[in-house]
């Protein structure tokens, strides 16, 4: 289930063409080997417990958390590494969660935002759309994971647009390649 930092309301029906939304101008923050622009007033926090990859979490909008983590070094090509991780996670027999859905990842799909190309997984997250994107920033492999829903003031498509705009701001942190 998507996390909520505000009040929940009924899920809105998807609009045929949702109005464009923009990521509010803000400040740069470090996410491991990545520097990204966050909306004004948003502070990232360190996450370790309950995450496959420790990293940083930022709420770029009231119902839109984005987790950013550096991937472990590997001799595997990025697509092969994502395949091996997906297979390990899906074959581990992960039990149903407290939200009563089985956490399965499924096959990877191509991912592209701005200059970044890589792979995307879409884990089953119950009542929201969960995504994990794996790509290279500078010389470092990173993962950005997010969960969006259509509750509140924005649609799923609008929240996806905000996440993609956030990822498009990524650049290598000085000294990390």
């Amino acid at each position: 289930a998507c996390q909520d930092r505000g009040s929940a309301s009924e899920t809105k029906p998807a609009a045929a063409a949702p109005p464009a939304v923009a990521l509010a101008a803000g400040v740069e923050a470090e996410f491991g080997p990545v520097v990204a622009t966050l909306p004004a007033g948003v502070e990232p926090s360190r996450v370790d417990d309950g995450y496959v990859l420790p990293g940083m979490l930022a709420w770029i909008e009231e119902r839109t958390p984005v987790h950013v983590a550096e991937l472990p070094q590997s001799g595997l090509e990025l697509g092969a590494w994502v395949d091996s991780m997906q297979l390990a996670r899906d074959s581990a027999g992960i039990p149903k969660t407290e939200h009563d859905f089985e956490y399965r990842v499924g096959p990877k799909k191509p991912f592209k935002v701005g200059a970044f190309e890589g792979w995307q997984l879409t884990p089953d997250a119950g009542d929201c759309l969960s995504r994990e994107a794996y790509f290279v920033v500078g010389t470092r492999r990173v993962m950005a994971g997010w969960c969006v829903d259509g509750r509140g003031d924005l649609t799923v498509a609008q929240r996806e647009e905000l996440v993609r705009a956030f990822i498009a701001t990524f650049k290598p942190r000085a000294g990390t390649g």
Side-chain angles (χ1 to χ4, degrees):
C2 279
Q3 299 170 344
D4 183 5
R5 288 193 43 165
S7 61
S9 63
E10 292 299 312
T11 300
K12 297 185 332 184
V21 291
L23 196 61
V27 297
E28 288 189 339
E30 292 183 358
F31 289 80
V34 173
V35 173
T37 301
L38 287 169
V42 172
E43 294 287 333
S45 59
R46 180 107 185 116
V47 291
D48 294 312
D49 294 337
Y51 287 83
V52 174
L53 298 167
M56 300 295 288
L57 182 72
W59 290 82
I60 62 169
E61 187 269 332
E62 181 180 25
R63 295 190 58 81
T64 312
V66 181
H67 171 216
V68 180
E70 181 173 10
L71 301 179
Q73 294 297 318
S74 170
L76 293 174
E77 177 269 327
L78 181 61
W81 187 88
V82 172
D83 285 340
S84 68
M85 186 192 61
Q86 176 268 323
L87 180 63
R89 286 167 67 186
D90 277 355
S91 64
I94 300 170
K96 289 188 176 188
T97 69
E98 69 273 11
H99 302 292
D100 201 33
F101 61 87
E102 290 189 44
Y103 190 84
R104 292 287 182 249
V105 180
K108 72 179 191 268
K109 296 178 181 171
F111 172 80
K112 180 166 175 41
V113 167
F116 304 119
E117 293 185 37
W119 300 100
Q120 178 176 286
L121 297 175
T122 307
D124 178 2
D127 64 350
C128 65
L129 178 64
S130 181
R131 299 207 193 279
E132 297 171 359
Y134 299 84
F135 50 98
V136 176
V137 177
T139 60
R140 303 297 181 108
R141 294 176 174 190
V142 298
M143 182 279 304
W146 62 96
C147 181
V148 296
D149 63 25
R151 294 179 182 168
D153 295 334
L154 300 177
T155 65
V156 168
Q158 288 171 317
R159 286 192 172 96
E160 280 276 312
E161 189 177 332
L162 285 175
V163 172
R164 294 175 79 77
F166 173 62
I167 291 171
T169 73
F170 286 16
K171 60 186 179 186
R173 190 182 78 211
T176 62

